[in-house]
Amino acid sequence: MAKITAQEVNKLRQSTGAGMMDCKNALVEAEGDFDKAVDILRKKGQKVAAKRADRDSSEGAVIAYVNDDNTQGAIVSLNCETDFVAKNDAFVALATEFAKVAVNCDSKEAFLAADFGGMTVAEKLIEQTGVIGEKLEIGGFEKVSGTYVGSYIHVGNKIASLTVLSANLKGSDVVAKDVSMQVAAMGATTLSYKDFDPAYVASETEARIAVIEKDNIELARLGKTLKNIPTFISRAQLTDEVIEQTKLKLQEELKAEGKPEAIWDRILPGKLERFISDNTTLDHEQCLLDQNFIKDEKLSVAEYVKSIGDITVSDFKRISLV
């Protein structure tokens, strides 16, 4: 039987992340052959993976990584079965290494097939399933590229996001991180109300009004104040004609209130702004550029980005495990 040294065991442990006894046993079985020992551990991972294939892997670590020149970024969600494993430093480090590989891949399929220390990412997942003893998989993969890419990882590694800016200006690093934080916190699904499908907006409007009307029946029964039923829910619905009709209606209200016509121009902008705000709830929820900026709610995200110069957000991505 080949004599197995502590140095050989440590080398295999450093290479695979497997426990000391697992490494020693693999080397013994392989009669000291390092590559065979790696293969033995990998096969062990395959067996564990097969046994745990039907397990739920809803825990994990979500990591965003941006390359050195801030032109490409990737988010990877390395999923596992328990929060105990997800919080392990070695597990988070593995997720980070995966994200560094992912930044050079254009799809999840290409990422899983990419080289990771002499094996593919997919093979590494199987190997580490054997090492850790839990089902591991890539739950999410996102990739972006552009003139300037920034990122944000929320505390606890459960949410990560990327933002692509149209220019690399002084302050782009701060803006990209701030907007990525906004994406992580507020969960936008699209850049602007301009991206909405009209059919989706119409359907969502009908659904929301139905919910409010149902709530109002119960509120009326209890003698409580009824909720306002909006006519619109997106700026996409506020055509020039709608805005003009609203202005006329507001002017009639000011006249009825006895406000002098000479001061209408000072009052109308605020009232019109309130009307738009009350009738664009869908935009505030789902459209990144139309949301109120979380660090200064007097500004929209679009206005905040523009504050550093001629620059816009061209793309964003988000992965969450919560």
Side-chain angles (χ1 to χ4, degrees):
M1 184 176 70
K3 183 179 179 180
I4 308 301
T5 67
Q7 288 82 1
E8 290 172 322
V9 172
N10 188 55
K11 178 183 176 183
L12 184 59
R13 188 181 184 190
Q14 292 296 321
S15 175
T16 65
M20 188 174 293
M21 288 307 299
D22 285 338
C23 289
K24 183 177 180 180
N25 292 336
L27 283 165
V28 169
E29 185 178 340
E31 297 182 339
D33 188 308
F34 182 85
D35 290 335
K36 285 185 178 179
V38 170
D39 190 52
I40 288 169
L41 290 172
R42 191 175 301 163
K43 287 179 178 177
K44 177 187 175 184
Q46 290 172 340
K47 292 178 182 178
V48 174
K51 290 180 180 179
R52 307 186 77 83
D54 61 346
R55 296 295 185 100
D56 180 32
S57 58
S58 58
E59 296 292 342
V62 185
I63 303 296
Y65 179 79
V66 177
N67 66 356
D68 291 339
D69 62 3
N70 290 92
T71 58
Q72 297 188 84
I75 311 176
V76 167
S77 170
L78 177 59
N79 290 26
C80 59
E81 296 176 29
T82 65
D83 192 46
F84 175 78
V85 167
K87 291 180 178 178
N88 183 276
D89 289 343
F91 182 85
V92 175
L94 177 63
T96 301
E97 290 305 309
F98 278 149
K100 291 179 180 179
V101 173
V103 80
N104 295 309
C105 303
D106 292 328
S107 67
K108 183 177 179 179
E109 292 71 26
F111 167 58
L112 290 172
D115 178 72
F116 192 95
M119 65 181 78
T120 66
V121 168
E123 290 170 339
K124 187 67 177 178
L125 286 168
I126 292 173
E127 177 199 84
Q128 291 301 299
T129 293
V131 170
I132 295 172
E134 289 192 5
K135 177 182 177 181
L136 301 187
E137 63 180 351
I138 300 301
F141 170 94
E142 294 288 357
K143 168 73 182 294
V144 298
S145 59
T147 304
Y148 192 92
V149 179
S151 66
Y152 173 76
I153 303 174
H154 191 60
V155 176
N157 303 309
K158 297 299 184 183
I159 306 173
S161 52
L162 296 164
T163 298
V164 184
L165 300 180
S166 63
N168 186 355
L169 307 177
K170 182 180 179 181
S172 285
D173 55 339
V174 175
V175 168
K177 183 175 181 179
D178 281 345
V179 175
S180 295
M181 189 182 299
Q182 174 92 20
V183 171
M186 303 307 292
T189 60
T190 188
L191 267 176
S192 166
Y193 69 87
K194 297 175 183 178
D195 301 323
F196 281 141
D197 182 330
Y200 168 71
V201 176
S203 174
E204 189 69 16
T205 302
E206 184 178 342
R208 290 183 181 218
I209 289 175
V211 169
I212 294 173
E213 287 177 339
K214 183 178 179 181
D215 289 345
N216 279 348
I217 292 174
E218 180 64 13
L219 290 172
R221 187 184 69 81
L222 297 173
K224 294 185 178 181
T225 303
L226 303 184
K227 295 180 180 179
N228 177 57
I229 299 177
T231 306
F232 311 103
I233 62 169
S234 174
R235 191 69 175 81
Q237 298 167 304
L238 304 184
T239 62
D240 290 343
E241 182 181 359
V242 169
I243 294 298
E244 186 58 34
Q245 288 176 348
T246 301
K247 285 182 180 178
L248 292 174
K249 181 180 178 182
L250 291 172
Q251 287 173 347
E252 289 298 322
E253 290 176 358
L254 291 174
K255 184 177 180 180
E257 292 170 4
K259 296 287 194 301
E261 190 171 345
I263 66 169
W264 286 3
D265 287 345
R266 298 204 300 269
I267 301 173
L268 277 173
K271 286 186 170 291
L272 188 60
E273 185 177 332
R274 176 60 186 273
F275 168 80
I276 292 173
S277 179
D278 288 345
N279 288 275
T280 53
T281 53
L282 182 65
D283 304 348
H284 297 159
E285 293 170 13
Q286 297 188 18
C287 304
L288 176 61
L289 298 179
D290 304 309
Q291 289 178 341
N292 293 330
F293 180 44
I294 54 176
K295 287 190 171 182
D296 184 354
E297 294 195 350
K298 294 178 181 178
L299 298 175
S300 68
V301 172
E303 290 169 338
Y304 166 66
V305 173
K306 283 287 187 182
S307 68
I308 69 163
D310 186 15
I311 188 170
T312 60
V313 177
S314 53
D315 198 6
F316 71 93
K317 297 295 180 184
R318 177 183 188 266
I319 293 179
S320 171
L321 283 177
V322 294

